[in-house]
Amino acid sequence: MVTAPDNQTVSMRPKSPDGASFGPFGTLPKRSFGLKLLLVCALALVMAIPALFVFSVVYDRSSRADRAIQDVASRYGGEQSAMGPVFILPYSEIVVTDDNKTVRKSGQVVLFPETGSVQADISTEVKKSGIHEIPVYLAELNFKASFRPERLQQALPQNAEPDWSNARLVISISDSRAVRETSTISINGTRLLIEPESSTRQKVNNRYRPIGVTTLAGRLQNAQTLSGDVPVTARMVVSGASKIGIAPFARTTDIQLTSDWDDPKFEGGFQQKVYTPNDKGGFTASWSIPYEARGIPGVGQDIALSQLTNPANGIEVRFVNAATPYQSVQRALKYAIMFIGFVFLAYFLFEVTSQQKAHPAQYVLVGLAQAVFYLLLLAMAEQFGFDLAFFTAAVMTVALTSSYAMTVFKSRQYGLRALGIFSGVYLLMYVLMRLEDYALLVGAFASFAAIGFTMYMTRNINWYGMQDDAPSDE
């Protein structure tokens, strides 16, 4: 700036031929829409930082919910996995080692039933730990099996001495502390005395830790005299939380499970044969697992029972609530950049079509309001569920940002336009949350449409300056 002889201030900034004032670097006009659009895009990226902080809050709250689930699960037995009756015969044999020493080796022959069935009746209840809800259950398991004891002799090693006095029928559960009534094993109608045999327990049985096995054994009298088809029944009543698994304990196993839970998730290595939801809530499901599909010999030496209770070799039913609020909020946060960009583009178009300008600080305030939307969504979803929380948080945020647009652009018309556009933006967000399989497709087309609409609205803009060509003197 210099002072003219007549004491008038003269600007030294260069001007274009049409009279538009350029910035200090002489490259872009002082009030360039192009420069403003670049700034708006940069601000949209910067506003992703508050969204990341909200994401960390979601992770913390989700971890706290997991701890609450584990605390409740530990009181009810955790995730249980049950196995029906199996015949075990210990034996010993004399073997010669590689260094020509004679030693006595012990082992056991494991015999699975020829056919077996399970009738599982499961009643569920939702327990609360603070604001968190955890499904627990009480399961009555009735097993039926048919054995052919002569297969034991076929599987014994040559010259082995069977220990018939310790022959036994065993059933198993992940943790015997979850047993709520006296378990029973009966052979040919005669009930056996059951003793806990071995236990490998975990602090909490859940999907993040190996599931332990507690074996309940009933010793047999005169087992060597058994022949033909030997019927065996067993019954267990156990409690648990979140999930129950049943192992295919027979060569051919039929499983029927009935529950009052209306939203099961089926896991494990086998697909259900029949699934029938009940009119009053709940379901009935059945499985039929043939010998070949089971992948474990019907009789053999030292077969580890943990092979049966492995989740991949059994059927599992998880009692889950609908998608947790934390999963839904995390999914919403994945699209935070896109929706912040939509709102910023709307404000930029309002600038283009009005004579009012929005300061970058005002864009920042609008972006912070959208970041707080996710925090509101998380806080209310924990209390009221995702749908009501989303509606409430969206109404609050749309009302705030649209009324702010009316103030910034000094026009009720622009406030109403913002109300309509922002309502559509949050409606689109909700649709994306519900369209899990097509969310990417819908989001991609919505982004493309937003860019195309912006191009159309700004097609006649002089990106280098606000002023049109200077009028002729003529």
Side-chain angles (χ1 to χ4, degrees):
M1 305 289 290
V2 297
T3 303
D6 56 357
N7 295 326
Q8 293 181 353
T9 301
V10 179
S11 174
M12 297 298 295
R13 289 179 180 173
K15 292 188 177 182
S16 67
D18 60 3
S21 176
F22 281 81
F25 299 102
T27 55
L28 287 173
K30 181 180 177 181
R31 298 175 65 82
S32 165
F33 278 121
L35 183 61
K36 188 60 173 286
L37 180 59
L38 293 176
L39 179 60
V40 168
C41 293
L43 286 175
L45 293 176
V46 170
M47 294 316 299
I49 297 176
L52 292 177
F53 283 108
V54 177
F55 192 91
S56 67
V57 175
V58 174
Y59 179 80
D60 177 71
R61 300 296 294 182
S62 178
S63 299
R64 184 172 300 187
D66 287 341
R67 289 193 295 269
I69 292 173
Q70 292 178 14
D71 290 342
V72 173
S74 64
R75 297 196 296 270
Y76 287 87
E79 298 177 352
Q80 295 294 345
S81 182
M83 183 191 70
V86 175
F87 202 130
I88 295 180
L89 175 62
Y91 68 87
S92 62
E93 61 176 327
I94 303 299
V95 297
V96 179
T97 62
D98 294 338
D99 53 359
N100 293 322
K101 291 183 178 180
T102 301
V103 297
R104 180 173 291 276
K105 175 187 174 184
S106 61
Q108 62 183 19
V109 175
V110 179
L111 173 65
F112 298 100
E114 297 298 307
T115 59
S117 64
V118 188
Q119 174 64 53
D121 296 310
I122 302 175
S123 58
T124 60
E125 184 180 358
V126 175
K127 296 294 183 180
K128 297 197 70 172
S129 176
I131 62 174
H132 306 291
E133 296 183 344
I134 300 96
V136 300
Y137 60 82
L138 184 68
E140 179 182 352
L141 306 174
N142 290 283
F143 301 93
K144 292 182 179 180
S146 178
F147 288 89
R148 289 185 182 174
E150 57 268 21
R151 290 186 182 274
L152 290 168
Q153 295 286 358
Q154 300 170 9
L156 281 170
Q158 189 175 9
N159 301 322
E161 298 179 7
D163 184 5
W164 291 105
S165 63
N166 285 316
R168 60 200 186 275
L169 287 168
V170 301
I171 56 177
S172 76
I173 194 69
S174 296
D175 194 334
S176 61
R177 291 173 292 186
V179 174
R180 292 296 173 257
E181 295 182 14
T182 301
S183 300
T184 62
I185 303 177
S186 300
I187 180 169
N188 283 322
T190 302
R191 181 177 294 187
L192 304 179
L193 178 64
I194 292 182
E195 295 287 344
E197 187 175 66
S198 63
S199 178
T200 304
R201 288 175 173 170
Q202 305 294 332
K203 183 178 179 182
V204 178
N205 293 326
N206 59 35
R207 55 182 163 178
Y208 303 111
R209 297 184 176 91
I211 296 179
V213 175
T214 299
T215 307
L216 306 176
R219 296 192 181 276
L220 297 168
Q221 300 294 328
N222 303 316
Q224 66 273 23
T225 64
L226 296 173
S227 62
D229 292 332
V230 178
V232 174
T233 60
R235 179 180 180 271
M236 284 192 295
V237 177
V238 299
S239 64
S242 299
K243 183 179 74 172
I244 186 169
I246 299 176
F249 63 96
R251 287 172 175 259
T252 300
T253 308
D254 293 320
I255 302 172
Q256 182 168 330
L257 189 148
T258 302
S259 176
D260 56 1
W261 190 262
D262 59 359
D263 186 26
K265 180 181 180 182
F266 297 104
E267 300 177 349
F270 302 97
Q271 177 67 29
Q272 66 272 16
K273 182 179 180 181
V274 177
Y275 171 75
T276 306
N278 298 335
D279 294 337
K280 297 181 179 180
F283 69 95
T284 298
S286 63
W287 293 257
S288 183
I289 304 171
Y291 181 41
E292 295 83 354
R294 193 178 74 144
I296 299 173
V299 62
Q301 302 168 20
D302 299 320
I303 297 177
L305 298 183
S306 59
Q307 294 184 54
L308 285 180
T309 56
N310 187 307
N313 289 333
I315 68 103
E316 294 183 327
V317 179
R318 185 175 295 277
F319 303 98
V320 296
N321 293 311
T324 66
Y326 309 106
Q327 294 172 335
S328 299
V329 175
Q330 284 178 350
R331 290 190 62 226
L333 281 167
K334 292 178 182 179
Y335 295 94
I337 282 288
M338 182 175 73
F339 288 104
I340 290 173
F342 283 173
V343 174
F344 277 17
L345 274 179
Y347 265 76
F348 176 75
L349 291 177
F350 292 159
E351 281 197 62
V352 170
T353 57
S354 71
Q355 298 300 317
Q356 302 296 328
K357 299 301 162 189
H359 193 275
Q362 293 172 315
Y363 279 94
V364 171
L365 289 174
V366 172
L368 289 175
Q370 291 180 276
V372 173
F373 160 79
Y374 295 102
L375 200 59
L376 287 170
L377 178 60
L378 172 63
M380 290 188 288
E382 287 186 326
Q383 303 292 336
F384 316 123
F386 181 79
D387 290 339
L388 180 58
F390 189 94
F391 175 78
T392 306
V395 168
M396 294 171 61
T397 306
V398 169
L400 177 63
T401 52
S402 58
S403 60
Y404 191 58
M406 182 173 60
T407 303
V408 170
F409 300 107
K410 297 179 174 56
S411 171
R412 181 178 298 178
Q413 179 182 6
Y414 281 99
L416 294 175
R417 289 181 182 178
L419 179 64
I421 293 174
F422 298 161
S423 297
V425 166
Y426 281 88
L427 178 60
L428 173 63
M429 185 188 300
Y430 183 80
V431 170
L432 290 182
M433 296 305 98
R434 289 293 171 258
L435 295 177
E436 295 185 9
D437 295 333
Y438 301 99
L440 179 60
L441 181 65
V442 174
F445 274 98
S447 300
F448 184 83
I451 296 299
F453 181 73
T454 303
M455 289 179 176
Y456 175 79
M457 293 298 294
T458 59
R459 66 192 184 282
N460 296 321
I461 287 182
N462 178 5
W463 292 101
Y464 288 97
M466 294 183 58
Q467 298 180 4
D468 295 329
D469 292 338
S472 173
D473 293 337
E474 296 181 0

